[in-house]
Amino acid sequence: MQIEKKDIRALSKDQLREFFVANNDKAFRGNQVYEWLWSKGAHSFDDMTNVAKPTRAMLENNFVINHIKVDTMQRSSDGTVKNAVRLHDGLVVESVLIPTETRTTACVSSQVGCSLDCNFCATARLKRMRNLEPGEIYDQVVAIDKESRLYHNHPLSNIVFMGMGEPLMNYNNVIKAIDMITSTEGLGMSPKRIMVSTSGIPKMIKKMADDDVKFKLAVSLHSAIDEIRARIMPFSQNFPLKDLREALEYWYRKTKSKISYEYVVWKGINDDKASVDALVKFCKYVPCKVNLIEYNPIDDGEFQQASEESIMAYIKALENIGVVVKVRRSRGKDIDAACGQLANKEG
């Protein structure tokens, strides 16, 4: 019976060094291979040109590199690029490159499908099949960095975890991926240029604060009224706003990092004065900014974009209490809509 080979990127540098010592080789060989796997982005052991052929053959006999493959790439007239990313087991996730005049942002996925049930989101219609491994998350960023350099003549500026999946339900792998993205042995990006977006899981927000993470936090809020939020995001009945508020206050006390609220305004759902007033009140608890997002309809159902007047009511009320508000317009409208609300994000 053939033994399934382990993905070599699951090993730490120390574990790689130990593997080579156990196989009568020098420990420094582990450093070489580790560099090829991460900072040099090797897709196969044959890429490792400064490693002897017998050593490469030994690696081939013991391990695999479960690298992603960009299956299809779509480029929009506005510069947005959407990647359909095929994983080693044939499953597919999406990632998006979103350019502005001053930067490029990678929007990456953390799960295949999603275990939450947000009614407005296309990804929620896909059952969660599995979590992405750290290397699979990392590879999405590497691919988009290459596209940024190719199409926009500069390296990737920012990363947002706003693609398929709930990042905090794949916490350990997301943290490991960010560690490699920010490591000098990986991509060397500043954690301050990374934002993790969650639908709001209080205990995991507190855990991030306790773990002293350096990246930024965004929360998909969409309503500051429990009953309306439960209509939009049914799972949130398990995480009432009072618990979310407490977790966000804890986050700010520990990190002193301002929170971003992602907020879509829908016609007939959260476009009334009571919803505006509730958000204004919620924004007073913790220093924050608000991103009002233009909705990308996924069908002709109940979730439809609200009027400009409704958007302006939110902007005026929030600016009156000193909250910075940005309106995120939908990007890449001339290519297939990205999963969930990927195409709406500019970071």
Side-chain angles (χ1 to χ4, degrees), residues 184-229:
T184 55
E185 297 178 313
L187 299 180
M189 289 189 69
S190 167
K192 293 180 180 179
R193 293 183 174 273
I194 299 173
M195 179 173 284
V196 172
S197 178
T198 175
S199 295
I201 304 169
K203 71 175 183 179
M204 298 308 297
I205 292 171
K206 288 181 177 179
K207 177 169 175 53
M208 283 197 298
D210 288 337
D211 288 347
D212 195 28
V213 300
K214 302 302 182 187
F215 52 76
K216 296 177 182 177
L217 173 65
V219 176
S220 293
L221 190 62
H222 307 311
S223 180
I225 299 172
D226 274 315
E227 295 75 18
I228 296 176
R229 195 162 189 262

Side-chain angles (χ1 to χ4, degrees), residues 250-268:
Y250 184 85
W251 162 273
Y252 187 76
R253 280 199 307 274
K254 297 273 287 194
T255 69
K256 294 295 182 283
S257 177
K258 187 180 289 189
I259 293 153
S260 294
Y261 293 126
E262 307 291 329
Y263 199 102
V264 182
V265 186
W266 289 283
K267 183 178 180 181

Side-chain angles (χ1 to χ4, degrees), residues 148-176:
S148 177
R149 293 170 191 268
L150 177 63
Y151 299 125
H152 299 284
N153 299 313
H154 58 81
L156 183 67
S157 319
N158 296 76
I159 303 168
V160 291
F161 282 78
M162 295 181 181
M164 296 172 72
E166 165 55 62
L168 299 194
M169 288 189 168
N170 186 19
Y171 183 78
N172 290 337
N173 288 350
V174 166
I175 294 298
K176 286 178 183 176

Side-chain angles (χ1 to χ4, degrees), residues 21-280:
V21 170
N23 283 274
N24 302 313
D25 206 331
K26 304 292 186 185
F28 82 87
R29 193 74 67 203
N31 299 1
Q32 282 183 310
V33 171
Y34 193 81
E35 182 181 13
W36 275 109
L37 293 172
W38 296 104
S39 64
K40 293 183 178 179
H43 284 223
S44 74
F45 297 113
D46 284 339
D47 292 339
M48 301 178 182
T49 50
N50 65 344
V51 177
K53 281 188 177 181
T55 304
R56 281 184 259 160
M58 179 182 67
L59 291 171
E60 191 79 50
N61 289 334
N62 285 275
F63 301 107
V64 293
I65 304 174
N66 286 333
H67 215 281
I68 68 161
K69 177 186 176 186
V70 176
D71 222 15
T72 58
M73 183 190 73
Q74 294 176 287
R75 290 181 64 198
S76 167
S77 58
D78 66 14
T80 301
V81 177
K82 188 188 79 168
N83 295 323
V85 174
R86 188 166 297 278
L87 309 175
H88 70 94
D89 54 5
L91 296 174
V92 176
V93 295
E94 291 185 346
S95 58
V96 177
L97 165 64
I98 305 168
T100 66
E101 290 182 3
T102 57
R103 64 183 183 175
T104 50
T105 298
C107 188
V108 299
S109 296
S110 56
Q111 295 179 308
V112 184
C114 188
S115 51
L116 302 183
D117 53 5
C118 303
N119 285 324
F120 63 90
C121 179
T123 306
R125 300 183 179 189
L126 307 172
K127 67 176 182 178
R128 187 189 70 81
M129 286 169 264
R130 69 172 176 88
N131 290 331
L132 293 189
E133 295 296 325
E136 294 171 325
I137 296 169
Y138 181 90
D139 288 347
Q140 293 175 69
V141 177
V142 171
I144 292 179
D145 180 52
K146 289 179 181 176
E147 291 166 352
S148 177
R149 293 170 191 268
L150 177 63
Y151 299 125
H152 299 284
N153 299 313
H154 58 81
L156 183 67
S157 319
N158 296 76
I159 303 168
V160 291
F161 282 78
M162 295 181 181
M164 296 172 72
E166 165 55 62
L168 299 194
M169 288 189 168
N170 186 19
Y171 183 78
N172 290 337
N173 288 350
V174 166
I175 294 298
K176 286 178 183 176
I178 292 174
D179 285 345
M180 282 311 306
I181 290 165
T182 56
S183 169
T184 55
E185 297 178 313
L187 299 180
M189 289 189 69
S190 167
K192 293 180 180 179
R193 293 183 174 273
I194 299 173
M195 179 173 284
V196 172
S197 178
T198 175
S199 295
I201 304 169
K203 71 175 183 179
M204 298 308 297
I205 292 171
K206 288 181 177 179
K207 177 169 175 53
M208 283 197 298
D210 288 337
D211 288 347
D212 195 28
V213 300
K214 302 302 182 187
F215 52 76
K216 296 177 182 177
L217 173 65
V219 176
S220 293
L221 190 62
H222 307 311
S223 180
I225 299 172
D226 274 315
E227 295 75 18
I228 296 176
R229 195 162 189 262
R231 176 183 169 188
I232 298 166
M233 311 159 78
F235 77 90
S236 69
Q237 294 175 79
N238 299 318
F239 309 114
L241 286 164
K242 65 178 180 61
D243 293 349
L244 178 59
R245 170 191 170 180
E246 180 193 350
L248 295 174
E249 289 173 334
Y250 184 85
W251 162 273
Y252 187 76
R253 280 199 307 274
K254 297 273 287 194
T255 69
K256 294 295 182 283
S257 177
K258 187 180 289 189
I259 293 153
S260 294
Y261 293 126
E262 307 291 329
Y263 199 102
V264 182
V265 186
W266 289 283
K267 183 178 180 181
I269 293 177
N270 60 351
D271 60 348
D272 58 318
K273 187 176 184 302
S275 291
V276 175
D277 292 344
L279 179 59
V280 167

